[in-house]
Amino acid sequence: MTTAVRRADQRVSPVFLALVAVMAVSGWAVWTGRLAANTGFAVFLFVVSGWIVSLCLHEYAHARTALHSGDISIGAKGYLTLNPLKYTHALLSIVLPVIFVIMGGIGLPGGAVFIERGRIRGRWRHSLISAAGPLTNILFAAVVTAPFWLGAMDGVPKPFRYALAFLALLQVTAAILNFVPVPGLDGYGVIEPWLPYGVRRQVEPFAPFGLIAVFGLLWVPGVNQVFFEAVHAILGALGVSDLDSYLGQEFFRFWQGEPQVF
């Protein structure tokens, strides 16, 4: 099986590098308080840019795994450049997830790269391709929460602490939602290869509506409560308190005014 890809097709996109730069500069601004007049705006930039970076890595993980599983068309489509503008559904992959973050503080999964599944042989490979994206969110969550569970938060400015906590919350919500076995989401993609052909054919027409259905269910108070109890339980195990993530979201919503922190 060949996975040869032109070097140009794997060159990191300037768009992605710009996103990383925004994340770094805004993170520095939050840490140092250089935008003390509007720390919330710096938190907003840091979280949004960090969230988009994680979305790019999520899609890259799908693409890279597909490449090594047999879909050699991935490189020519630009998916290995980490450029969000190359995604099949840029609106679903980037714009809508950012809107959901602003609206409800939920890391809702976006669209996906287009993978030529016919080139891939073996059910395990298909499942791994689908799982690679949310596993990246889990890894990202582990990285941004590392200072919490390593007990390395002494001396960290409070706004930066809260911003990291909120960014971690988004990663955990994204990982959980992505693994929901609903058509159109990665969780269904993990189990789909193992389902009978007739079942897959019957479910296929509902795939475009899976994301909408999940988002709608999250507006049901009972479902929302259970979901966020699970999210905060995971964050708590990683050393991130409910207060940390709550204040991170309050700083993020800079247009509402910054919270009072003592």
Side-chain angles (χ1 to χ4, degrees):
M1 180 186 301
T2 179
T3 58
V5 179
R6 295 187 310 161
R7 182 175 299 178
D9 292 335
Q10 301 186 77
R11 188 174 295 123
V12 178
S13 163
V15 176
F16 180 77
L17 294 177
L19 288 169
V20 173
V22 171
M23 182 181 178
V25 172
S26 57
W28 170 82
V30 175
W31 182 284
T32 61
R34 290 300 177 92
L35 294 179
N38 200 338
T39 302
F41 182 64
V43 170
F44 176 84
L45 288 178
F46 175 68
V47 171
V48 168
S49 59
W51 174 234
I52 298 176
V53 165
S54 74
L55 290 175
C56 293
L57 294 173
H58 176 113
E59 303 298 350
Y60 175 84
H62 284 309
R64 176 60 70 173
T65 308
L67 173 68
H68 291 285
S69 297
D71 184 1
I72 59 175
S73 70
I74 287 295
K77 295 169 183 170
Y79 297 154
L80 300 178
T81 66
L82 290 161
N83 184 353
L85 302 179
K86 293 292 185 178
Y87 298 153
T88 307
H89 302 292
L91 174 65
L92 292 177
S93 295
I94 300 297
V95 179
L96 285 182
V98 170
I99 291 175
F100 291 142
V101 168
I102 294 173
M103 289 176 56
I106 299 173
L108 201 66
V113 296
F114 177 72
I115 296 169
E116 296 185 16
R117 294 280 183 171
R119 294 174 177 263
I120 298 164
R121 297 290 180 268
R123 290 182 291 183
W124 282 108
R125 287 194 178 100
H126 285 282
S127 294
L128 183 58
I129 291 169
S130 295
L135 288 175
T136 303
N137 291 112
I138 292 174
L139 179 60
F140 202 101
V143 171
V144 297
T145 59
F148 292 90
W149 49 266
L150 289 174
M153 273 298 180
D154 292 342
V156 174
K158 288 183 177 179
F160 190 81
R161 174 193 182 106
Y162 303 143
L164 278 183
F166 184 49
L167 185 55
L169 180 144
L170 297 180
Q171 299 304 318
V172 172
T173 58
I176 293 175
L177 291 173
N178 265 292
F179 272 128
V180 173
V182 170
L185 298 180
D186 292 327
Y188 178 75
V190 172
I191 66 172
E192 183 183 24
W194 308 89
L195 297 176
Y197 178 74
V199 173
R200 283 182 281 154
R201 284 294 303 272
Q202 290 180 335
V203 170
E204 187 176 0
F206 299 99
F209 308 104
L211 183 62
I212 298 173
V214 169
F215 183 62
L217 281 174
L218 288 175
W219 285 97
V220 177
V223 175
N224 186 277
Q225 181 180 350
V226 171
F227 173 72
F228 275 103
E229 284 177 353
V231 170
H232 287 299
I234 294 171
L235 288 173
L238 294 171
V240 180
S241 70
D242 294 5
L243 182 61
D244 288 330
S245 56
Y246 168 77
L247 288 174
Q249 186 172 7
E250 290 297 296
F251 270 104
F252 175 83
R253 294 173 172 170
F254 68 93
W255 55 89
Q256 297 179 354
E258 292 182 14
Q260 295 296 318
V261 179
F262 301 98

